[in-house]
Amino acid sequence: MEELTKSENSQENAYQSIRGYVIEAQRQVYSAVNTAMVSAYWNIGKSIYEFCGENDRAAYGKQILQYISEKLTVEFGNGFSVRNLRNMRQFYLAFPIRQTASAELSWSHYQLLMRITDEKARDFYEQEAIKSGWSVRQLERQINTMYYKRILASRDKESVAAEIQITEPKPEYERIIKDPYVLEFLDLPANEHYYESTLEQALIDHLQKFLLELGRGFSFVARQKHFNVDGRHFYIDLVFYNYILKCFVLPLDFYYVPPKAILSFE
């Protein structure tokens, strides 16, 4: 029994040691890609601003953006829609000094920061995200719960600052294949297997039985349906259609999707 325990411990130690190398490699790749993205998108945003002028929605600016988008999409993939190009321009306008856009934050971080109109609040969130090493989900939660205003008003700032680790623990490492922006930048196709959950796969494996239990009129439409709402990416795990009620059914417990996305579903 003692020898068996030693063998199991040895196997686990070997696994944990090798796993550490994989995680560190993933971190390095994720960091390198995001650093390249932030740098490239800032430069693209600067160029768009210089070519299109103050108003990129005027006829001249629209024409240039459409032309650039079409050419880049043919050559480099789907990450260069007119919407995304406008986001890059907005990135440059929000952080006009290149050095203020930190390589420690990802493009997904900056997608959130750009939406903050208050410059002081935006700078605060950026510096806090860098200092505290917030993940994208942690930053989003802090913005949504008005952390900036709460920390300014609180007498117990340490407790307010520490609560994020409980309410939204930071993942051990970011999975590069789960970031839609990274996939677009590398021109890699989104793969449904990147996003599978145990519950979703169990439902797929027993789909016929599951549909019968849902009731009359249900049909399966899609899995991992992708939405892009105001530059944010969402994935619906499973999508059904009820031909009696003539409406789509989205099991939102799997993944939060804003009402705007549901209303625009086709």
Side-chain angles (χ1 to χ4, degrees):
M1 180 65 71
E2 184 176 346
E3 290 183 359
L4 180 59
T5 302
K6 287 182 179 179
S7 176
E8 290 175 347
N9 289 338
S10 178
Q11 291 174 9
E12 182 61 22
N13 290 338
Y15 163 71
Q16 290 298 337
S17 176
I18 293 172
R19 177 177 180 272
Y21 293 123
V22 176
I23 289 176
E24 182 57 29
Q26 289 238 354
R27 284 180 180 145
Q28 291 178 12
V29 171
Y30 190 78
S31 175
V33 172
N34 273 302
T35 298
M37 288 171 65
V38 169
S39 178
Y41 290 172
W42 187 91
N43 285 311
I44 291 171
K46 181 174 183 291
S47 295
I48 290 172
Y49 177 76
E50 291 172 346
F51 281 113
C52 295
E54 294 291 335
N55 187 3
D56 65 344
R57 295 183 182 275
Y60 176 72
K62 283 183 178 180
Q63 187 176 4
I64 291 179
L65 279 182
Q66 189 64 41
Y67 178 81
I68 295 172
S69 173
E70 290 174 359
K71 297 284 284 187
L72 289 177
T73 298
V74 169
E75 188 170 359
F76 299 108
N78 296 321
F80 298 96
S81 65
V82 170
R83 179 196 294 270
N84 285 348
L85 293 177
R86 285 202 171 104
N87 284 340
M88 295 171 201
R89 177 181 181 275
Q90 180 59 34
F91 178 41
Y92 166 72
L93 292 175
F95 301 91
I97 301 174
R98 176 64 186 88
Q99 289 74 16
T100 60
S102 173
E104 296 181 53
L105 299 182
S106 70
W107 175 243
S108 296
H109 284 95
Y110 280 111
Q111 284 282 88
L112 296 172
L113 292 169
M114 283 188 294
R115 299 191 186 98
I116 303 173
T117 56
D118 185 328
E119 186 175 347
K120 289 184 178 180
R122 184 172 64 237
D123 291 343
F124 171 83
Y125 281 115
E126 182 188 23
Q127 294 307 313
E128 284 295 305
I130 295 170
K131 182 180 71 175
S132 303
W134 286 342
S135 68
V136 176
R137 289 180 67 94
Q138 285 179 322
L139 173 60
E140 183 172 27
R141 186 176 184 89
Q142 296 291 56
I143 294 172
N144 291 340
T145 59
M146 295 182 289
Y147 174 72
Y148 173 62
K149 292 184 178 179
R150 290 189 297 116
I151 199 75
L152 291 179
S154 175
R155 295 181 179 179
D156 187 3
K157 298 185 186 303
E158 290 186 1
S159 295
V160 176
E163 70 180 25
I164 189 63
Q165 301 302 335
I166 299 173
T167 56
E168 190 67 63
K170 184 179 179 180
E172 186 177 3
Y173 62 98
E174 300 279 1
R175 292 178 179 269
I176 189 171
I177 58 175
K178 279 196 171 183
D179 190 330
Y181 295 117
V182 170
L183 295 177
E184 283 185 347
F185 183 73
L186 298 176
D187 194 21
L188 294 176
N191 188 316
E192 62 194 24
H193 297 295
Y194 296 160
Y195 311 98
E196 282 179 355
S197 65
T198 302
L199 178 57
E200 178 196 347
Q201 188 59 49
L203 290 177
I204 291 295
D205 291 341
H206 301 85
L207 185 57
Q208 181 178 0
K209 180 180 178 182
F210 178 68
L211 286 173
L212 291 174
E213 290 177 352
L214 281 177
R216 293 180 57 204
F218 282 94
S219 60
F220 175 69
V221 177
R223 66 189 301 189
Q224 293 302 334
K225 177 65 177 177
H226 175 235
F227 293 93
N228 185 320
V229 183
D230 296 331
R232 298 172 66 191
H233 292 268
F234 300 91
Y235 289 85
I236 301 292
D237 289 332
L238 299 170
V239 179
F240 301 94
Y241 184 77
N242 189 292
Y243 60 82
I244 297 176
L245 300 176
K246 296 183 178 180
C247 67
F248 290 96
V249 178
L250 314 178
L252 299 185
D253 285 341
F254 295 139
Y255 203 105
Y256 170 73
V257 179
K260 184 176 179 180
I262 298 173
L263 292 173
S264 63
F265 180 77
E266 294 181 357

